[in-house]
């Protein structure tokens, strides 16, 4: 234990000696103040410090100038932003003022327009009352002339040529979509009930819908017999409103297959008053479970409207023709213009006003062959 303490004392003393020796040697390495080299070194150090200070000052000056330029740019930008904001605010105020003025003008215009429409409505109301009064006088016979409002033509395409089929038959396969002009009269002596007469034998679509051989079960005589029942059932209703023109073509029903002609019924009255009465009473009524649709039409010539080859059965297009193929009216009506008394095997169709169609179930008590024999017997008795 004692040896270790002695060794430590010696080691510490030796270490202190080495430190003192190193410090003395370092001190001896510096030149003395009286030496020229030391003086030169001091001057170099002063110049170096001066240069460093100058560089620092130059750098600070450059940074200061950059900051000043950035500050000027920021101030200018802020000024422009403020000017733009003021400009936008001014524009917004002007727009608000303009909108307010426009709103006031619009309100004034609406008030004037409402006043004008009110005057027009009052005038239209007076005109409508006058029109109804004139119409009632015309229908009652107090006035011989119809209202002028009805003596007009409605045209679908006034700037185009007149449709040649519509001007002859008052029907066109393209309807109002036709590229040519269709003229609809306000009133006329002829009424057209579109697709009024329906029968299974006229449905050309049945060939494709059911079977190509299904029409073999139906003959034209059956369609004609059903048409006669329809004729004697419908015509008295039209005759209630006036005299139907007494010649062969006064009541025509089309037996064409084309949809725009199929079952169309034309009724021509002797005068306008009767036609208007019939239109006002029968339009939109229900018949046989279907609602009627009547319209006035103009047929310049029945000879031009009806296919001339139909009566000779030489029309090359058959019932697909765009001219009228019509049923032959009963001869007794053509001669006497009256409905003969006859018994009906089936109840008449309903002519009652109704919001929904009423369908009647007809039960046939006789077979088809027996009906044909009865028809032949009646024909023999007539002859």
């Amino acid at each position: 234990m004692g040896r270790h303490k002695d060794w430590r004392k010696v080691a510490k003393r030796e270490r202190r000696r080495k430190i003192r020796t190193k410090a003395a040697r370092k001190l001896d390495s510096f030149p003395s103040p009286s030496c020229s080299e030391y003086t030169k070194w001091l001057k170099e150090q002063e110049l170096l410090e001066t240069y460093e200070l100058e560089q620092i000052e130059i750098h600070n000056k450059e940074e200061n100038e950059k900051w000043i330029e950035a500050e000027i740019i920021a101030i200018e930008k802020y000024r422009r932003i403020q000017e733009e904001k003021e400009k936008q605010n001014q524009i917004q105020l002007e727009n608000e003022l303009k909108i307010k003025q426009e709103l006031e003008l619009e309100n004034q215009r609406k008030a004037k327009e409402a006043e004008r429409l009110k005057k027009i409505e009052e005038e239209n109301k007076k005109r409508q009352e006058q029109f109804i009064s004139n119409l009632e006088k015309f229908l009652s016979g107090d006035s011989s002339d119809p209202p002028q409002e009805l003596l007009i033509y409605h045209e679908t395409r006034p700037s185009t040529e007149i449709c040649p089929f519509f001007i002859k038959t008052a029907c066109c396969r393209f309807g109002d979509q036709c590229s040519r002009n269709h003229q609809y009269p306000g009133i006329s002596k002829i009424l057209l009930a579109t697709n009024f007469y329906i029968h299974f034998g006229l449905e050309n679509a049945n060939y494709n819908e059911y079977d190509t051989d299904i029409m073999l079960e139906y003959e034209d005589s059956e369609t004609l017999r059903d048409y006669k029942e329809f004729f004697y059932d419908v015509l008295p209703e039209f005759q209630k409103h006036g005299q139907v023109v007494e010649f062969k073509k006064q009541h025509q029903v089309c037996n064409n297959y084309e949809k725009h002609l199929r079952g169309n019924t034309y009724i021509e009255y002797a005068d306008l008053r009767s036609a208007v009465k019939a239109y006002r009473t029968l339009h939109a009524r229900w018949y046989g479970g279907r609602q009627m649709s009547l319209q006035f039409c103009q047929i310049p010539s029945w000879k031009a409207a009806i296919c001339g080859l139909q009566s000779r059965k030489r029309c090359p297009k058959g019932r697909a023709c765009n001219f009228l193929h019509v049923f032959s009216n009963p001869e007794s009506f053509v001669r006497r213009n009256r409905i003969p008394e006859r018994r009906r095997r089936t109840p008449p169709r309903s002519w009652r006003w109704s919001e929904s169609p009423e369908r009647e179930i007809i039960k046939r008590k006789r077979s088809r062959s027996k009906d044909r024999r009865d028809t032949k017997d009646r024909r023999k008795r007539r002859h």
Side-chain angles (χ1 to χ4, degrees):
M1 188 68 182
R3 290 182 179 181
H4 180 69
K5 287 183 178 181
D6 295 339
W7 179 82
R8 288 191 64 183
K9 288 179 181 180
V10 173
K12 287 181 179 181
R13 187 171 55 251
E14 186 65 23
R15 187 176 59 183
R16 288 195 296 270
R17 186 183 65 79
K18 288 180 179 180
I19 291 172
R20 287 194 301 272
T21 303
K22 186 177 180 180
R25 289 178 180 176
K26 187 177 181 181
L27 183 61
D28 292 340
S29 63
F30 286 99
S32 60
S34 60
C35 182
S36 59
E37 293 180 359
Y38 179 72
T39 305
K40 184 178 180 180
W41 178 80
L42 288 177
K43 289 181 180 180
E44 290 177 357
Q45 292 297 321
E46 290 177 0
L47 292 174
L48 184 60
E49 290 178 0
T50 304
Y51 177 76
E52 289 179 355
L53 292 174
E54 290 177 356
Q55 292 297 323
I56 291 172
E57 186 177 356
I58 292 171
H59 178 71
N60 292 337
K61 187 176 181 180
E62 290 177 354
E63 292 295 328
N64 189 26
E65 290 177 355
K66 290 181 180 179
W67 180 84
I68 292 173
E69 290 178 359
E71 186 70 16
I72 293 172
I73 293 172
I75 293 172
E76 183 67 20
K77 185 177 180 180
Y78 177 77
R79 185 183 62 80
R80 287 198 301 268
I81 291 173
Q82 293 299 321
E83 290 179 355
E84 188 68 23
K85 285 184 178 180
E86 292 179 0
K87 188 176 180 180
Q88 292 294 334
N89 292 334
Q90 185 67 23
I91 293 174
Q92 185 177 359
L93 292 175
E94 292 177 357
N95 290 336
E96 290 178 356
L97 181 61
K98 186 177 180 181
I99 291 172
K100 186 177 180 180
Q101 293 176 354
E102 290 178 354
L103 184 61
E104 292 177 356
L105 293 175
E106 183 68 17
N107 292 334
Q108 294 176 2
R109 188 189 65 79
K110 287 183 178 180
K112 292 180 180 179
E113 184 69 15
E115 186 177 357
R116 186 182 68 84
L117 292 177
K118 186 177 180 180
K119 291 181 180 179
I120 293 175
E121 185 178 358
E122 292 177 356
E123 292 177 359
N124 291 337
K125 187 176 180 180
K126 292 180 181 179
R127 193 180 297 110
Q128 183 70 14
E129 292 175 355
Q130 184 66 28
F131 167 73
I132 294 175
S133 176
N134 294 337
L135 181 62
E136 293 295 336
K137 289 180 181 179
F138 173 70
L139 294 178
S140 62
D142 297 337
S143 175
S144 59
D145 297 328
Q148 295 297 323
E149 292 83 358
L150 296 178
L151 301 178
I152 57 175
Y153 279 86
H154 168 66
E155 301 185 15
T156 56
R157 301 178 186 273
S159 59
T160 58
E161 297 180 359
I162 296 177
C163 180
F165 286 101
F166 188 85
I167 195 64
K168 292 179 181 179
T169 63
C171 294
C172 177
R173 66 167 58 247
F174 302 106
D176 291 340
Q177 302 298 324
C178 181
S179 60
R180 299 190 178 183
N181 188 21
H182 292 179
Q183 291 182 341
Y184 294 91
I187 56 173
S188 66
K189 296 180 182 180
I190 303 175
L191 289 176
L192 169 60
T194 56
N195 306 124
F196 187 31
Y197 175 65
I198 56 173
H199 189 268
F200 188 82
L202 295 180
E203 295 291 337
N204 190 25
N206 292 331
Y207 288 106
N208 298 326
E209 185 177 355
Y210 298 102
D211 188 6
T212 56
D213 297 334
I214 195 169
M215 296 303 294
L216 297 176
E217 301 180 7
Y218 294 87
E219 298 179 356
D220 291 341
S221 59
E222 297 180 7
T223 305
L224 183 60
R225 183 171 63 251
D226 186 79
Y227 165 70
K228 288 182 179 180
E229 294 178 359
F230 168 81
F231 180 87
Y232 288 116
D233 189 28
V234 167
L235 193 59
E237 289 293 330
F238 288 102
Q239 288 181 328
K240 289 179 181 179
H241 307 286
Q243 180 185 0
V244 178
V245 175
E246 186 177 358
F247 66 100
K248 187 175 181 181
K249 302 179 182 63
Q250 38 72 36
H251 183 279
Q252 296 290 357
V253 178
C254 298
N255 59 5
N256 299 65
Y257 283 150
E258 297 297 326
K259 289 185 178 180
H260 66 288
L261 293 175
R262 185 189 308 158
N264 285 1
T265 304
Y266 298 83
I267 304 95
E268 183 174 0
Y269 284 93
D271 51 48
L272 287 174
R273 184 178 290 106
S274 301
V276 175
K277 285 182 180 179
Y279 178 85
R280 190 176 66 169
T281 305
L282 301 178
H283 180 62
R285 282 188 60 179
W286 293 92
Y287 174 77
R290 299 172 67 247
Q291 193 172 22
M292 292 178 59
S293 176
L294 292 178
Q295 66 183 41
F296 293 102
C297 66
Q298 196 74 31
I299 304 294
S301 172
W302 286 107
K303 185 176 181 180
I306 298 176
C307 180
L309 300 176
Q310 176 212 359
S311 59
R312 291 177 286 175
K313 297 183 179 181
R314 297 179 62 183
C315 180
K317 295 185 179 180
R319 294 187 183 180
C321 181
N322 282 320
F323 291 97
L324 304 185
H325 285 214
V326 296
F327 289 101
S328 297
N329 291 332
E331 295 181 0
S332 59
F333 179 80
V334 174
R335 290 195 301 267
R336 298 188 299 272
N337 192 23
R338 65 183 180 85
I339 304 297
E341 296 293 335
R342 70 188 190 95
R343 296 177 60 187
R344 296 179 182 269
R345 294 192 306 274
T346 58
R349 295 175 174 87
S350 175
W351 272 96
R352 290 172 291 176
W353 291 91
S354 175
E355 295 182 358
S356 60
E358 298 181 1
R359 301 183 180 275
E360 299 179 357
I361 302 175
I362 301 175
K363 298 182 179 179
R364 294 182 177 268
K365 296 182 180 180
R366 299 182 180 181
S367 63
R368 188 173 300 159
S369 59
K370 191 173 181 180
D371 290 343
R372 292 176 182 173
R373 288 197 299 270
D374 293 344
T375 303
K376 291 180 180 179
D377 294 340
R378 284 197 299 273
R379 288 179 180 175
K380 290 180 180 179
R381 287 197 296 271
R382 288 179 183 176
H383 291 293

